[in-house]
Amino acid sequence: MPESPSSSTVARHPVQLQPMQVPKASDVLANDLRERILRGEFPSGTALPPERELVTQTQMSRTTVREALRILEVQGLVVIKTGRSGGAFVQQPGGASVASSVSLLIRGQQLRLSDLLETREAIEPACAGLAAKYRTDDDIAALDAANAKLGDLDIPLEEFLQANVDWHLAVAAASHNELLTGFMTALSNAIYSSTENTAFVDDEVRKTTHRAHKTITDAIRAGDPAVATRRMSKHVHGYAEAVVQVEERTEIELREA
């Protein structure tokens, strides 16, 4: 029989392993619950099991379960309510989630005002076109109400600006597209909170804005996507040009919501 090689003669090759990233237990649980929510296994409004039951079902610590629920709460997928009838309740992400994420991107990247204006010129005419196709009577009523307030030259500047934002968001809402509505919510808030409005908005600007909004609303009311798109494109492009002429700042100073 051949002799067994001694340990000193065994060829040994160096083995090198890479560091392994082991996910936290709370991330694993949050990921699993997130996928179930997004797949529709837990409809909006569903109450997740109480903490004690989640601990029993998952065999994880209460601290891990609480941390996982906090992750989902920050992501807008659950609402945590306190009290006897409290708990973690599922909510499906909507336009508000999009708006929050886009707002964080704007603030975190310190985007230039020109970037926001260009994005708005690309998006809002499409919103107007879709609004002309899908608007309801309630949508038209919201547009008319916001624009009627804009036509009052006696209201303070802050009220005028808020009515202006309300009208633009009503156009986005009339598109019945959650993604576009979320984008427009973030863009509108960023643009108007970063523009030197006191130096820009006078009575003539108010009158021009009111007239432009009326013509766009009329096209939406008439169900004419091409005209609504064209008129909105002209409106937002004119606004962008006017802002650039008076606005010297290039960084966005977006107030926290």
Side-chain angles (χ1 to χ4, degrees):
M1 291 182 60
E3 296 182 0
S4 300
S6 65
S7 60
S8 61
T9 62
V10 173
R12 296 186 179 275
H13 299 283
V15 176
Q16 186 172 357
L17 302 178
Q18 298 296 323
M20 299 180 65
Q21 298 293 330
V22 180
K24 294 172 59 178
S26 56
D27 290 336
V28 173
L29 177 57
N31 290 341
D32 180 68
L33 290 173
R34 183 189 307 108
E35 288 305 311
R36 291 172 180 267
I37 292 171
L38 295 177
R39 286 199 303 264
E41 292 184 26
F42 304 141
S44 186
T46 300
L48 294 179
E51 279 186 12
R52 182 177 300 176
E53 189 174 339
L54 285 173
V55 168
T56 301
Q57 291 181 11
T58 63
Q59 296 297 300
M60 294 179 176
S61 69
R62 175 162 290 187
T63 299
T64 296
V65 169
R66 287 180 177 176
E67 187 173 348
L69 293 177
R70 279 197 295 269
I71 292 172
L72 296 178
E73 182 181 27
V74 170
Q75 294 173 344
L77 294 175
V78 301
V79 176
I80 307 296
K81 298 181 181 180
T82 58
R84 179 173 297 180
S85 59
F89 295 84
V90 173
Q91 67 173 8
Q92 292 291 341
S97 299
V98 177
S100 177
S101 298
V102 174
S103 294
L104 289 175
L105 173 65
I106 292 170
R107 296 179 62 200
Q109 296 296 320
Q110 297 183 344
L111 297 182
R112 298 176 304 166
L113 179 58
S114 60
D115 292 334
L116 300 190
L117 294 172
E118 289 169 354
T119 304
R120 183 187 179 198
E121 285 192 62
I123 291 177
E124 195 159 18
C127 290
L130 290 173
K133 292 177 63 177
Y134 301 121
R135 83 285 183 270
T136 64
D137 290 343
D138 288 342
D139 293 326
I140 296 298
L143 290 168
D144 286 339
N147 206 36
K149 193 167 187 178
L150 284 170
D152 184 356
L153 298 179
D154 295 326
I155 62 174
L157 176 61
E158 286 301 317
E159 290 186 28
F160 171 85
L161 295 174
Q162 186 57 58
N164 193 26
V165 171
D166 290 344
W167 183 86
H168 282 277
L169 294 184
V171 173
S175 75
H176 294 274
N177 184 302
E178 286 279 357
L179 191 57
L180 288 175
T181 302
F183 268 110
M184 282 308 305
T185 298
L187 286 173
S188 296
N189 290 335
I191 290 170
Y192 288 111
S193 65
S194 63
T195 303
E196 192 57 65
N197 293 295
T198 55
F200 171 58
V201 180
D202 56 18
D203 283 353
E204 190 56 37
V205 169
R206 292 193 184 200
K207 292 176 183 178
T208 300
T209 300
H210 178 256
R211 287 196 300 269
H213 286 191
K214 184 179 185 306
T215 63
I216 297 167
T217 300
D218 288 345
I220 293 173
R221 191 192 325 269
D224 193 329
V227 173
T229 300
R230 184 174 66 251
R231 289 177 179 175
M232 180 64 86
S233 181
K234 180 180 178 181
H235 174 52
V236 295
H237 182 69
Y239 174 85
E241 286 189 329
V243 169
V244 169
Q245 290 177 5
V246 299
E247 184 61 57
E248 297 179 353
R249 290 172 297 165
T250 58
E251 293 185 355
I252 299 303
E253 298 175 3
L254 181 58
R255 295 189 297 264
E256 292 187 22

